[in-house]
Amino acid sequence: MKNIFLIIFLLIFSLGFSQKKKKSKTKVVAEKETVIIYTETEAETSNEPRIIAGFLKQNPGHARTDFFKKRLITIIMADNSPEAKPTIKPLSKDKIEKIVSNNELNKGKDVTVNKSPEKNVNFASVGSVSKKSEASDKNKRTAAMLTHIFNDDPSDKEAYINIKNRSNCRLIVKISGKKYYNLDVPAKGQNFVLIDKGEYVLTTMVCDAKYSSLKKITKDIEIQLDVSE
């Protein structure tokens, strides 16, 4: 009889220990929040207008300002397909040059751009014709981001969140507050969204780990998410 009780006790103990061990392996979200700082290397190697524009804004009077202004204009002007039908008002090359070259935070020499032939900037034209809608959405966001970055008005009511996903899983980040946003972030990638400043709750699943955080957004920030055991 004693042996039976001893066996039952050992089984219960083993089961409890096993469950405790499983619990200890539960994945948790590792979060890192930083103010966005753009480096010269990023501005030189990235093809994202927001990174080059951000570097110019954070480094007025930099020795290579003219080079980065020209590079920014070139990237914005690239892939200007005449087949794509714009969903926003096109901007001329002169207009782009004026925005990039004459903003208060980037005073310097005038940027010389080849004026011939004259082309219109169509932010909705990047990508294949079969993906016009997707390209249009992406490039409208890029246009809005550039306007935000070059805005020198301290009363600007918008800020942006850049989510950097270090995990192997795709994220759908829900941003809930006075307005609601959904941000799709690819595995090992990043994405950003321009939002109204204020308090928001950010929620998502990072692989099997639940993430929820209250953020008071008053400036542009970057949030890096990953999972750890």
Side-chain angles (χ1 to χ4, degrees):
M1 192 72 175
K2 287 182 179 179
N3 289 337
I4 293 174
F5 280 118
L6 181 60
I7 292 171
I8 293 172
F9 174 77
L10 289 173
L11 286 172
I12 294 172
F13 178 79
S14 298
L15 182 61
F17 181 78
S18 175
Q19 288 179 340
K20 187 176 181 182
K21 193 174 181 181
K22 284 181 181 178
K23 268 189 174 181
S24 66
K25 288 186 177 181
T26 300
K27 292 180 179 179
V28 295
V29 178
E31 175 194 11
K32 181 181 179 182
E33 179 182 328
T34 58
V35 175
I36 300 174
I37 303 293
Y38 298 104
T39 67
E40 183 175 352
T41 300
E42 287 176 326
E44 191 166 18
T45 59
S46 176
N47 288 320
E48 288 192 55
R50 71 179 179 88
I51 290 179
I52 303 170
F55 177 79
L56 286 170
K57 181 174 182 178
Q58 292 177 359
N59 298 274
H62 189 274
R64 301 180 70 196
T65 292
D66 288 350
F67 166 79
F68 287 118
K69 286 178 180 178
K70 290 177 184 178
R71 189 163 190 270
L72 177 59
I73 293 171
T74 299
I75 290 173
I76 295 173
M77 294 294 297
D79 299 320
N80 188 40
S81 169
E83 296 177 348
K85 295 180 179 174
T87 56
I88 58 174
K89 184 179 180 181
L91 297 176
S92 68
K93 186 179 291 186
D94 287 338
K95 182 66 174 177
I96 289 292
E97 183 180 349
K98 186 176 179 181
I99 292 173
V100 175
S101 303
N102 298 335
N103 70 86
E104 289 299 316
L105 292 174
N106 296 295
K107 289 179 180 176
K109 297 178 182 177
D110 291 336
V111 178
T112 302
V113 181
N114 184 7
K115 307 270 185 188
S116 180
E118 178 69 18
K119 287 175 70 179
N120 281 340
V121 177
N122 174 12
F123 286 107
S125 65
V126 178
S128 66
V129 177
S130 62
K131 294 184 177 180
K132 285 180 188 176
S133 180
E134 181 181 343
S136 173
D137 289 342
K138 178 181 178 181
N139 290 285
K140 279 195 290 184
R141 292 193 308 117
T142 300
M145 177 59 62
L146 288 173
T147 301
H148 167 71
I149 287 177
F150 282 120
N151 186 3
D152 195 27
D153 185 358
S155 64
D156 185 5
K157 295 181 180 179
E158 293 181 312
Y160 82 83
I161 302 176
N162 187 58
I163 303 290
K164 190 171 285 187
N165 181 11
R166 294 298 192 190
S167 78
N168 293 316
C169 305
R170 174 190 174 196
L171 306 182
I172 302 296
V173 182
K174 296 184 183 297
I175 304 171
S176 307
K178 55 183 177 181
K179 288 187 177 180
Y180 297 88
Y181 309 84
N182 283 336
L183 188 61
D184 190 344
V185 189
K188 298 296 183 182
Q190 60 183 315
N191 201 359
F192 65 88
V193 62
L194 193 64
I195 67 172
D196 289 349
K197 292 178 180 177
E199 285 195 350
Y200 293 89
V201 176
L202 278 63
T203 56
T204 190
M205 291 294 294
V206 185
C207 296
D208 296 326
K210 186 177 181 180
Y211 169 78
S212 181
S213 181
L214 175 64
K215 301 287 184 185
K216 187 173 183 179
I217 309 298
T218 59
K219 56 190 173 184
D220 298 344
I221 63 169
E222 179 174 274
I223 299 172
Q224 181 175 298
L225 297 177
D226 200 354
V227 289
S228 61
E229 294 185 355

mmCIF file with all atom_site columns, all heavy atoms in Angstrom, residues 101 135 153 169 209:
data_model
loop_
_atom_site.group_PDB
_atom_site.id
_atom_site.type_symbol
_atom_site.label_atom_id
_atom_site.label_alt_id
_atom_site.label_comp_id
_atom_site.label_asym_id
_atom_site.label_entity_id
_atom_site.label_seq_id
_atom_site.pdbx_PDB_ins_code
_atom_site.Cartn_x
_atom_site.Cartn_y
_atom_site.Cartn_z
_atom_site.occupancy
_atom_site.B_iso_or_equiv
_atom_site.pdbx_formal_charge
_atom_site.auth_seq_id
_atom_site.auth_comp_id
_atom_site.auth_asym_id
_atom_site.auth_atom_id
_atom_site.pdbx_PDB_model_num
ATOM 1  N N   . SER A 1 101 ? 15.469 71.608 -50.988 1.00 0.00 ? 101 SER A N   1
ATOM 2  C CA  . SER A 1 101 ? 16.611 72.519 -50.912 1.00 0.00 ? 101 SER A CA  1
ATOM 3  C C   . SER A 1 101 ? 16.380 73.746 -50.053 1.00 0.00 ? 101 SER A C   1
ATOM 4  O O   . SER A 1 101 ? 17.315 74.273 -49.463 1.00 0.00 ? 101 SER A O   1
ATOM 5  C CB  . SER A 1 101 ? 17.003 72.972 -52.324 1.00 0.00 ? 101 SER A CB  1
ATOM 6  O OG  . SER A 1 101 ? 17.298 71.876 -53.132 1.00 0.00 ? 101 SER A OG  1
ATOM 7  N N   . ALA A 1 135 ? 1.000  50.321 -54.714 1.00 0.00 ? 135 ALA A N   1
ATOM 8  C CA  . ALA A 1 135 ? 2.061  51.314 -54.875 1.00 0.00 ? 135 ALA A CA  1
ATOM 9  C C   . ALA A 1 135 ? 1.562  52.707 -54.509 1.00 0.00 ? 135 ALA A C   1
ATOM 10 O O   . ALA A 1 135 ? 2.277  53.492 -53.901 1.00 0.00 ? 135 ALA A O   1
ATOM 11 C CB  . ALA A 1 135 ? 2.573  51.298 -56.308 1.00 0.00 ? 135 ALA A CB  1
ATOM 12 N N   . ASP A 1 153 ? 7.446  73.292 -38.115 1.00 0.00 ? 153 ASP A N   1
ATOM 13 C CA  . ASP A 1 153 ? 6.450  73.893 -37.221 1.00 0.00 ? 153 ASP A CA  1
ATOM 14 C C   . ASP A 1 153 ? 6.387  73.101 -35.913 1.00 0.00 ? 153 ASP A C   1
ATOM 15 O O   . ASP A 1 153 ? 6.015  71.927 -35.910 1.00 0.00 ? 153 ASP A O   1
ATOM 16 C CB  . ASP A 1 153 ? 5.083  73.885 -37.907 1.00 0.00 ? 153 ASP A CB  1
ATOM 17 C CG  . ASP A 1 153 ? 4.020  74.605 -37.081 1.00 0.00 ? 153 ASP A CG  1
ATOM 18 O OD1 . ASP A 1 153 ? 4.349  75.077 -35.968 1.00 0.00 ? 153 ASP A OD1 1
ATOM 19 O OD2 . ASP A 1 153 ? 2.873  74.693 -37.550 1.00 0.00 ? 153 ASP A OD2 1
ATOM 20 N N   . CYS A 1 169 ? 8.402  36.186 -37.361 1.00 0.00 ? 169 CYS A N   1
ATOM 21 C CA  . CYS A 1 169 ? 6.963  36.146 -37.626 1.00 0.00 ? 169 CYS A CA  1
ATOM 22 C C   . CYS A 1 169 ? 6.457  37.510 -38.108 1.00 0.00 ? 169 CYS A C   1
ATOM 23 O O   . CYS A 1 169 ? 6.922  38.554 -37.648 1.00 0.00 ? 169 CYS A O   1
ATOM 24 C CB  . CYS A 1 169 ? 6.199  35.756 -36.356 1.00 0.00 ? 169 CYS A CB  1
ATOM 25 S SG  . CYS A 1 169 ? 6.754  34.210 -35.609 1.00 0.00 ? 169 CYS A SG  1
ATOM 26 N N   . ALA A 1 209 ? 3.931  35.097 -28.528 1.00 0.00 ? 209 ALA A N   1
ATOM 27 C CA  . ALA A 1 209 ? 3.957  35.957 -27.344 1.00 0.00 ? 209 ALA A CA  1
ATOM 28 C C   . ALA A 1 209 ? 3.080  37.188 -27.546 1.00 0.00 ? 209 ALA A C   1
ATOM 29 O O   . ALA A 1 209 ? 3.153  37.846 -28.591 1.00 0.00 ? 209 ALA A O   1
ATOM 30 C CB  . ALA A 1 209 ? 5.387  36.373 -27.033 1.00 0.00 ? 209 ALA A CB  1
#
